Amino acid sequence: HPWSNQLPRSRFNPSPALHFSTAPRCTFQPAFTPVLWKDQDTIYCFQNTVIRFRPASLLPRFAHRVFEHFARNGIFSKVARGVGIHHLGADRFSALPCVVPPLPEQHRIVAKIEELFSHLDAAVASLQRAKANLKRYRASVLKSAVEGELTADWRKEHPQAEDGAMLLDRILRERREKWERDQLAKFKEKGKEPPKNWQSKYEAPTHEAGLYDLPSSWAWASTLEVCERVENGNTPPADEMTSGSGDVPFIKVYNLTQDGRLDFTVNPTFVSQETHEERLGRSRILPNDVLMNIVGPPLGKVSLVPDTYPEWNMNQAIVLFRASDVVLSRYLAICLMSDEVLRWITRTAKATAGQFNISVGNSRLLPVPLPPLAEQEQIVLLVEERLSQIDSAEKTIEAELIRSKRLRQSILKRAFEGKLVPQDPNDEPASVLLERIKATRDTERLTASTRPRRAR
């Protein structure tokens, strides 16, 4: 390769060596992560944000674990320099003190670390599988809820006088009657008689075909049909927003979650009461409104607004659904979190430069399975019970994953404090090894200085 002669100091030769990134701009590993070079046949060059270390007094696998200890326990970070992007640098790296046990003890330490890490890796893999299973179980609970399977036995024992179709018909009829009353009031206020066929100007909300078969007492509806309002927000100028405190909380997409909660602990933003009432009056949020992001990825973040504040507001990447009296807010949130609705959302989204956008118009057409109200209450009760169990199990798994990470750090720390394996007085002292290496290097330097130079 032509670089072989141009970059002799920046090559991985076919011999054991370690390399690790010195800055987080390296994409193959996080900053300060050591990697053991194992390719014995190929020569590679490397860039200036990578340090090569070719050990002399240390076994390569032992040195790898030493540097992993430095990375995990913050030793590299303490000596790194830079604002935003930390750089270690070969000089600061070379100045770090490093323990040098006898070679036989290095072998014992590496063997013990790998034995313990093997058990840890198996435990972590088991926890990750359990975590993935919980994610699938969560999706399964939501699916069975919105398809009617979760309440199938309850439904047989509790027939309802007003089924989903009757609920939908009632809300649509009431909504039209209200529109007509409002129109007649406007005509009367202006002193005019209603024109001919004035009722035909009413635009009735509609819904698309259902996504799947429903129980006979359920009906398909659109979010516009079952909600009083479906509206997106707006973003005021930056100087009208404050961080940390203010009059009215202003919700952004990163405050939404994929489990139905609103997390306003993440970078809380506020607007003034004036901005809330005037510039952002159209997007005022009330407790129990349901919010969903319409800009992603990821799509499908849904949150139920708590009563922490009497009113909220939101930016233009979020749409609010204010439930009418035929659908429970918590049930509506369950529907919007289900995979079937998420797939419908994804199909209707428009992709631009890697960003997915859902129109407010399509948000109003989101299909919602509508059961009787009493069954909605039962669904919410059963789903929240199961999701609470899932949340508890996930917290336990996360705690164990954190514990395993700390245990890994502790193992490395004990290893390089001389507390992990017993020491053998018959081992050749490391000082003898270092003296032998020093003598070898002195001889090599002397030989190099007396070697005749080639004539130019």
Side-chain angles (χ1 to χ4, degrees), residues 169-340:
D169 180 68
R170 172 164 65 83
I171 189 63
L172 295 180
R173 185 176 64 255
E174 290 174 355
R175 193 170 293 173
R176 173 155 192 154
E177 290 172 355
K178 181 180 182 303
W179 178 87
E180 290 180 355
R181 288 196 301 272
D182 291 343
Q183 293 301 307
L184 289 173
K186 290 179 182 178
F187 294 139
K188 184 176 181 180
E189 182 180 352
K190 295 178 181 179
K192 296 181 179 180
E193 288 294 321
K196 186 178 180 182
N197 297 326
W198 63 275
Q199 294 100 328
S200 63
K201 294 183 179 180
Y202 177 71
E203 296 181 3
T206 60
H207 62 266
E208 297 184 356
L211 303 178
Y212 43 82
D213 292 336
L214 293 176
S216 58
S217 58
W218 292 30
W220 281 107
S222 66
T223 47
L224 184 60
E225 288 175 315
V226 299
C227 290
E228 293 179 2
R229 290 192 64 203
V230 180
E231 198 68 67
N232 70 322
N234 197 5
T235 299
D239 60 1
E240 294 186 22
M241 295 185 286
T242 58
S243 179
S245 63
D247 297 335
V248 180
F250 186 76
I251 300 170
K252 299 183 180 181
V253 171
Y254 54 66
N255 298 125
L256 307 186
T257 70
Q258 292 180 309
D259 59 11
R261 295 177 301 104
L262 182 71
D263 187 359
F264 200 61
T265 64
V266 181
N267 299 327
T269 303
F270 292 80
V271 294
S272 68
Q273 190 70 35
E274 181 182 359
T275 299
H276 171 66
E277 293 177 355
E278 296 180 5
R279 187 188 294 273
L280 305 179
R282 182 175 57 88
S283 53
R284 298 167 77 163
I285 299 172
L286 302 177
N288 281 327
D289 283 347
V290 180
L291 308 181
M292 182 183 74
N293 66 312
I294 54 175
V295 177
L299 295 172
K301 300 178 75 174
V302 176
S303 296
L304 185 70
V305 179
D307 59 1
T308 315
Y309 295 89
E311 291 193 3
W312 310 61
N313 221 298
M314 62 185 181
N315 71 7
Q316 75 281 359
I318 301 173
V319 67
L320 78 84
F321 302 90
R322 183 163 299 153
S324 68
D325 60 0
V326 301
V327 65
L328 302 178
S329 295
R330 292 183 180 276
Y331 172 76
L332 180 59
I334 289 169
C335 293
L336 297 181
M337 288 191 293
S338 68
D339 282 348
E340 286 293 340

Side-chain angles (χ1 to χ4, degrees), residues 106-142:
Q106 292 184 36
H107 282 287
R108 293 196 297 273
I109 289 172
V110 169
K112 189 63 176 178
I113 289 174
E114 292 181 353
E115 175 193 345
L116 295 174
F117 277 15
S118 176
H119 294 317
L120 265 180
D121 291 341
V124 168
S126 177
L127 289 169
Q128 295 290 6
R129 286 194 298 271
K131 189 176 179 179
N133 288 338
L134 286 175
K135 184 177 180 180
R136 286 191 287 270
Y137 178 50
R138 183 187 293 273
S140 174
V141 168
L142 295 173

Side-chain angles (χ1 to χ4, degrees), residues 9-67:
R9 295 178 63 248
S10 304
R11 294 185 299 182
F12 292 139
N13 293 327
S15 60
L18 287 98
H19 70 280
F20 52 90
S21 60
T22 64
R25 63 180 61 181
C26 298
T27 57
F28 62 91
Q29 287 285 351
F32 314 138
T33 301
V35 178
L36 186 62
W37 181 252
K38 296 180 180 179
D39 194 326
Q40 302 298 311
D41 303 318
T42 309
I43 295 176
Y44 290 98
C45 296
F46 58 95
Q47 67 184 64
N48 62 353
T49 54
V50 175
I51 291 176
R52 178 189 61 192
F53 176 80
R54 188 168 296 147
S57 58
L58 302 177
L59 298 172
R61 286 161 62 201
F62 179 84
H64 180 215
R65 295 304 184 183
V66 170
F67 300 145

Side-chain angles (χ1 to χ4, degrees), residues 331-359:
Y331 172 76
L332 180 59
I334 289 169
C335 293
L336 297 181
M337 288 191 293
S338 68
D339 282 348
E340 286 293 340
V341 171
L342 180 58
R343 278 192 282 271
W344 188 93
I345 292 170
T346 304
R347 285 196 301 268
T348 60
K350 293 183 179 180
T352 305
Q355 179 173 288
F356 294 97
N357 297 276
I358 307 168
S359 69

